[in-house]
């Protein structure tokens, strides 16, 4: 299908047309013209007035559940939700059953996700069965198509194991993406340690648990001169530690979940388990520091931290509810609510995630392969059962009006309009 998008504002830091209002023509999967264009009889015309055209979003931190937990989400429903959220690429975590810890599971994901508008790329486990004891088949997985390695929401507790893993992947330019929590400090805490945790009568999880783990990983990365990526940071102290490490030349990068840029711990006062996430929601001062960290470049990227669950895992007492939000469709509205402009959204949600993983970065230029998202930053829409494309519904934003609507996505010569 040939396509003409008219009157759209381009947001792409790598494009000569950045921040310009243009018409964009796509023919057979390639951007063939950008400028003031006249429609041809053979093409579909989309009115982009008031909308933004960005390189397609890419999610660094997505749980699908396939294989083994398809009742939560499968590749089909995840990619449908991803498209509606503006994502043309997903990096999927290995916390499946079986765990993605060998080339067989990597090849399963690669083959199951073929011919999709959304690129689905597997992240292999660092340790066998995510147990943090025996190293998984890292090199074999990379050869089969794994783009990085992570134990998902499980931190690597053993310092020696983490050191050996960093040293090993350095030999073939692999990247470890680690979750920042010192379990011996965190214990079984489920909410941020603060006045709110006292008010709720629940044991608090101190920022110290996150920051100690980040400090350890920074020390090890510096010792081995190897890169490490910290996933889902949530505290002001974490921002400060990573900022200093970058200044010192350590090869450290990090991301933040979109909900940690908006939601704060006060939302837990009604014990709504849909706000139960890991790391926990923090204080307003942490949110302010995270947003500042994004704007100054300390935080490299934003992720969805998509964690779908069946109703029986969330519609229960807070203390026994599972962690996580089904989040692919709500990232953009949350970033707009947090005050990020179109340029920063493109950088943190489309360009930098791919740069961190060494993937090809889409660019809005004539002659480039078409991989982009068009969204209206001021359009309101109702996120409800009818508009939710995920198999799960564990979101505190369900049945609420959101601002920031994805209008269409294009990738792999495929178009999806909303």
């Amino acid at each position: 299908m040939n396509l003409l998008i008219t009157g759209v504002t381009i947001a792409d830091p790598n494009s000569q047309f950045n921040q310009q209002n243009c018409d964009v023509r796509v023919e057979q999967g390639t951007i063939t013209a950008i400028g003031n264009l006249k429609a041809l009889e053979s093409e579909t015309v989309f009115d982009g007035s008031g909308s933004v055209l960005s390189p397609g979003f890419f999610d660094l931190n997505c749980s699908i559940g396939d294989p083994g937990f398809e009742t939560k989400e499968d590749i089909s429903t995840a990619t449908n939700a991803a498209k509606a959220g503006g994502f043309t690429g997903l990096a999927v975590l290995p916390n499946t059953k079986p765990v993605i810890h060998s080339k067989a599971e990597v090849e399963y994901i690669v083959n199951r996700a073929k011919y999709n508008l959304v690129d689905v790329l597997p992240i292999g486990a660092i340790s066998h069965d995510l147990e943090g004891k025996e190293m998984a088949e890292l090199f074999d997985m990379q050869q089969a198509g794994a783009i990085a390695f992570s134990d998902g929401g499980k931190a690597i507790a053993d310092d020696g194991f983490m050191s050996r893993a960093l040293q090993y992947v350095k030999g073939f330019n692999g990247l470890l993406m680690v979750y920042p929590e010192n379990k011996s400090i965190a214990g079984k805490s489920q909410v941020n340690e603060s006045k709110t945790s006292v008010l709720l009568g629940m044991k608090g999880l101190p920022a110290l648990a996150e920051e100690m783990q980040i400090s350890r990983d920074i020390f090890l990365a510096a010792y081995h001169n190897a890169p490490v990526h910290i996933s889902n940071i949530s505290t002001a102290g974490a921002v400060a530690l990573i900022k200093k490490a970058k200044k010192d030349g350590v090869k450290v990068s990090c991301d933040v979940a979109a909900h940690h840029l908006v939601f704060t711990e006060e939302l837990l006062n009604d014990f709504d388990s849909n706000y139960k996430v890991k790391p926990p929601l923090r204080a307003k001062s942490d949110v302010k520091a995270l947003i500042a960290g994004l704007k100054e470049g300390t935080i490299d990227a934003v992720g969805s931290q998509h964690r779908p669950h069946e109703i029986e895992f969330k519609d229960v007492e807070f203390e026994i509810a599972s962690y996580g939000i089904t989040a692919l469709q709500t990232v953009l509205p949350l970033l707009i609510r947090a005050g990020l402009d179109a340029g920063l959204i493109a950088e943190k949600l489309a360009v930098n995630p791919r740069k961190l993983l060494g993937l090809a970065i889409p660019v809005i230029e004539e002659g480039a392969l078409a991989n982009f998202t068009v969204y209206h930053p001021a359009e309101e829409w109702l996120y409800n059962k009818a508009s939710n494309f995920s198999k799960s519904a564990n979101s505190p934003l369900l049945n609420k009006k959101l601002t920031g609507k994805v209008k269409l996505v294009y990738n792999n010569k495929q178009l999806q309009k909303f």
Side-chain angles (χ1 to χ4, degrees), residues 3-243:
L3 173 70
L4 179 67
I5 303 169
T6 62
V8 72
T9 300
I10 294 174
D12 178 4
N14 296 322
S15 172
Q16 63 175 313
F17 299 98
N18 188 35
Q19 299 184 353
Q20 295 183 31
N21 190 270
C22 302
D23 305 328
V24 178
R25 173 170 288 132
V26 179
E27 298 177 273
Q28 300 300 313
T30 299
I31 299 172
T32 57
I34 301 175
N36 186 12
L37 309 174
K38 289 185 178 181
L40 305 175
E41 290 184 5
S42 61
E43 62 191 4
T44 299
V45 178
F46 178 85
D47 182 5
S49 301
S51 296
V52 173
L53 189 150
S54 160
F57 302 156
F58 188 96
D59 188 21
L60 278 172
N61 199 284
C62 179
S63 287
I64 286 184
D66 191 356
F69 298 116
E70 292 90 349
T71 53
K72 298 178 184 290
E73 195 86 281
D74 57 40
I75 288 176
S76 177
T77 57
T79 53
N80 286 338
K83 286 182 281 189
F87 292 95
T88 61
L90 300 175
V92 296
L93 293 168
N95 50 318
T96 50
K97 189 177 181 180
V99 170
I100 303 172
H101 57 197
S102 74
K103 65 180 182 180
E105 294 86 31
V106 170
E107 289 170 349
Y108 169 83
I109 297 293
V110 170
N111 291 325
R112 286 274 292 160
K114 281 181 177 177
Y115 314 118
N116 204 306
L117 183 152
V118 180
D119 301 316
V120 180
L121 305 174
I123 298 172
I126 301 172
S127 66
H128 185 78
D129 277 337
L130 308 179
E131 293 177 345
K133 298 176 182 178
E134 179 185 344
M135 207 174 298
E137 299 175 7
L138 305 183
F139 180 72
D140 286 350
M141 285 192 287
Q142 189 197 54
Q143 295 299 297
I147 55 171
F149 306 100
S150 170
D151 274 2
K154 291 188 175 182
I156 301 293
D158 189 299
D159 302 338
F161 181 91
M162 180 64 182
S163 179
R164 291 188 295 274
L166 276 171
Q167 189 174 21
Y168 181 61
V169 298
K170 182 182 177 183
F172 55 88
N173 296 318
L175 177 67
L176 300 188
M177 304 172 67
V178 295
Y179 179 72
E181 181 183 85
N182 183 305
K183 189 64 180 176
S184 64
I185 298 292
K188 296 182 179 180
S189 305
Q190 299 182 338
V191 299
N192 184 44
E193 183 181 77
S194 66
K195 293 179 181 179
T196 299
S197 63
V198 175
L199 179 66
L200 296 175
M202 299 181 71
K203 189 175 184 299
L205 197 163
L208 178 68
E210 179 169 323
E211 292 155 17
M212 281 183 67
Q213 192 78 358
I214 289 173
S215 296
R216 183 206 69 176
D217 291 335
I218 287 171
F219 275 119
L220 289 174
Y223 178 75
H224 291 294
N225 191 28
V228 66
H229 180 83
I230 315 294
S231 299
N232 307 318
I233 71 168
S234 67
T235 73
V239 176
L241 285 167
I242 294 168
K243 182 177 182 178

Side-chain angles (χ1 to χ4, degrees), residues 71-72 273 309-317 320-322 394:
T71 53
K72 298 178 184 290
S273 62
H309 289 295
E310 304 93 333
I311 188 170
E312 60 266 29
F313 287 89
K314 291 297 276 188
D315 192 17
V316 292
E317 292 87 350
I320 62 173
S322 296
N394 53 301

Side-chain angles (χ1 to χ4, degrees), residues 208-324:
L208 178 68
E210 179 169 323
E211 292 155 17
M212 281 183 67
Q213 192 78 358
I214 289 173
S215 296
R216 183 206 69 176
D217 291 335
I218 287 171
F219 275 119
L220 289 174
Y223 178 75
H224 291 294
N225 191 28
V228 66
H229 180 83
I230 315 294
S231 299
N232 307 318
I233 71 168
S234 67
T235 73
V239 176
L241 285 167
I242 294 168
K243 182 177 182 178
K244 182 181 184 302
K246 286 188 170 188
K247 186 178 179 181
D248 292 342
V250 181
K251 297 175 182 176
V252 60
S253 57
C254 65
D255 67 66
V256 62
H259 49 258
H260 278 116
L261 300 172
V262 176
F263 299 154
T264 57
E265 59 186 347
E266 289 80 11
L267 292 167
L268 300 177
N269 287 339
D270 294 328
F271 294 97
D272 183 348
S273 62
N274 281 319
Y275 286 110
K276 184 179 179 181
V277 291
K278 186 179 180 182
L281 300 182
R282 303 289 190 179
K284 291 177 182 177
S285 57
D286 293 302
V287 170
K288 185 177 179 181
L290 292 169
I291 293 173
L294 270 175
K295 292 181 177 179
E296 71 186 12
T298 298
I299 301 176
D300 300 274
V302 175
S304 73
Q305 206 187 27
H306 181 67
R307 302 291 187 269
H309 289 295
E310 304 93 333
I311 188 170
E312 60 266 29
F313 287 89
K314 291 297 276 188
D315 192 17
V316 292
E317 292 87 350
F318 188 91
E319 289 198 16
I320 62 173
S322 296
Y323 295 100

